[in-house]
Amino acid sequence: MRLGLRGQERLRLAFIYILCAIVLIWALAPIYWVFVSSISTRKELYARPYKIWFPSQPSFESYQTIFTQGAKFRAGGFSPTADLMGAGLRNSIIISVGAAGIVTLLATGAGYAFARMRFPGRNLIFLLIMFMLPLPIWVSLIALFFLMSQLELIDTLLGLILIFVTLLLPLAVWMMTTFVRDIPAEIQDAARVDGANRWRLVYSIILPLARPGMVAVFLVSMLSTWNNFLIPLIFTRSNDSQPLTIVLTLFIGQYEVAWEDMSAAAVVTMLPPFIMALFFQRYLVRGLTMGAVK
């Protein structure tokens, strides 16, 4: 039995909706499980067979525990859980905001230089920066660790910020360069006719128009830094510099795993990126689309 055009269109839409639902469930199921675990009791979490879609007696005690008292786990021989969470939250904010701010400033200046200025070796320098984009961090870990050790930057916030700035800068420069190129050159020419010098042109014309791109670069850099696990795992060893991604692993003890406390800490770790993406979504989408390569 052949379907008409209307039937084929409905079938295609149904297939798209089913596919989107599968992808959505696949993406949200782990997050839902973490949240349910954070409001469940340990008895329910260890029940066999595991049948918890939602706890019978939900409780937010784990959230209070990780910030007020908490048991001592793998790293708890020296610091209780509350101290670990507070230090991890502080370190994550300092590292992510600091690295994202520096990357945004440097990428904005470099993006304008590559897009609007003419100087010897411009294309070669830009090409060399772009060669760093596909370079994985693993190929340089040993040399980077040796360099950071010589500079005495291991287990420091400054060391982590410098590493993240170095890793994120090539992508940010590419984004800002393509974004500034999309700004009509006629606006810049009109400002020059009116007598604006280069600094006035950048401050009054380029920066306001490039604001969506700058917000996009800041968000991408901050989220990438906040969610990173490998670099802090290698370059930190104490709660003086360990971010939340490392603190989450410290809920694993020698004889037990505090699943409910770890899940609560995981939810706390996910909240800042989620809130930022939610409130700055239009800047992020606009910045990424306008700065895309045509």
Side-chain angles (χ1 to χ4, degrees), residues 260-277:
E260 67 279 13
D261 292 344
M262 182 187 293
S263 299
V267 173
V268 173
T269 304
M270 289 187 292
L271 278 180
F274 175 78
I275 294 174
M276 289 195 64

Side-chain angles (χ1 to χ4, degrees), residues 45 75 78 112 202 220 227 253 266:
L45 289 176
F78 307 97
Y112 174 77
V202 172
V220 171
N227 296 325

Side-chain angles (χ1 to χ4, degrees), residues 190-197:
R192 286 180 175 175
V193 171
D194 292 338
N197 56 27

Side-chain angles (χ1 to χ4, degrees), residues 30 43 55 70 83-84 92 102 113 139 181 196 220 238 261 263 281-282:
K43 181 179 179 180
D83 291 343
L84 291 174
S92 291
I102 295 174
V139 301
R181 283 175 181 169
V220 171
S238 70
D261 292 344
S263 299
Q281 181 181 11
R282 66 186 185 95

